[in-house]
Amino acid sequence: GLEGCDSSRAARLANVLNFARFHLAELLPELRRVVWVDCDVIVQRPMDDLWEAAGAAFADGGGLFSAFAEPGRFGRFYLDEGAVKRLMQKRFQGLPEIDMEGESFNDGVIAIDLQRWRDVGAAQAVAGLMRAHREAEPGLWKYGTQPLTMLLGAAYGWSRLDPGAYCGDLGFETVVDQRWEQAVFLHFDGELKPWRPGGLNKELWWPYAELAQAF
């Protein structure tokens, strides 16, 4: 599922720890919900409001995830959109056909309803989808975990977090406005991460990196 990646990105995305988010319900059996944050994310403000918003959405039946929506089309990750649609309708009886032109979300910062995960058997669903992916040639999707997480969101539902709390794509492009100042999360997703030669938005990353080094 790493088609379209250069060799360094493929190696990073294939790391087993990248898939740890799919095992949190098992690893943290005493918790009902959790916020997963990728290692290329800075949390620069308290996330209390988002934690409460996600909890309220889950209590109201808001799905398996609370996440930040992205403008890109849902289907951009899938190598054979028709095959993915058929797989999802077979695996999840009664699921409406996935709209590949619809909205997507980023799984680098995501609230997960662990109790619902256990109740619906999401771990078994992940295993089944991954099995189908491995058996397909050259695979059903690309780019690591996000395509799989989005399929789970399509199957079990997801709710939207306040977009003003998230500033992403900071490893893809130079930030040109001040939206990062009020964001809770700064996400340096992309290949031009600030600690790499030629990386972007170093001025946003390094103050926090230097602070961490002081400890």
Side-chain angles (χ1 to χ4, degrees), residues 9-181:
R9 187 177 193 191
R12 173 168 56 82
L13 293 178
N15 189 306
V16 65
L17 292 179
N18 198 37
F19 295 84
R21 71 198 74 198
F22 299 128
H23 299 279
L24 294 176
E26 177 184 357
L27 294 171
L28 304 170
E30 73 283 5
L31 297 185
R32 296 186 62 87
R33 70 184 194 271
V34 70
V35 174
W36 170 274
V37 179
D38 277 356
C39 64
D40 57 358
V41 173
I42 292 290
V43 182
Q44 66 171 2
R45 294 180 181 278
M47 65 174 76
D48 305 58
D49 289 346
L50 292 172
W51 175 255
E52 295 301 327
F58 293 154
D60 289 340
L64 190 62
F65 304 126
S66 282
F68 294 103
E70 289 190 325
R73 64 187 293 272
F74 188 100
R76 70 190 186 279
F77 294 105
Y78 304 101
L79 301 174
D80 186 336
E81 296 180 8
V84 171
K85 289 180 179 180
R86 291 189 295 273
L87 171 65
M88 291 295 288
Q89 291 190 303
K90 179 179 179 180
R91 177 64 179 80
F92 302 97
Q93 297 295 322
L95 180 71
E97 183 176 284
I98 292 177
D99 179 10
M100 290 293 177
E101 302 301 321
E103 191 175 43
S104 63
F105 61 84
N106 190 288
D107 75 337
V109 179
I110 189 168
I112 307 172
D113 187 336
L114 297 182
Q115 189 57 54
R116 180 167 172 78
W117 181 285
R118 300 180 190 106
D119 292 344
V120 301
Q124 291 74 28
V126 168
L129 292 172
M130 286 295 293
R131 188 178 308 112
H133 174 58
R134 286 196 305 269
E135 292 171 352
E137 181 60 42
L140 296 176
W141 55 76
K142 55 186 177 179
Y143 300 146
T145 60
Q146 186 164 339
L148 181 53
T149 306
M150 285 167 47
L151 292 180
L152 294 176
Y156 298 118
W158 66 282
S159 59
R160 291 152 187 77
L161 292 172
D162 175 9
Y166 177 83
C167 182
D169 287 346
L170 296 177
F172 285 112
E173 57 189 17
T174 300
V175 65
V176 296
D177 53 36
Q178 301 304 307
R179 59 193 172 96
W180 65 271
E181 292 183 341

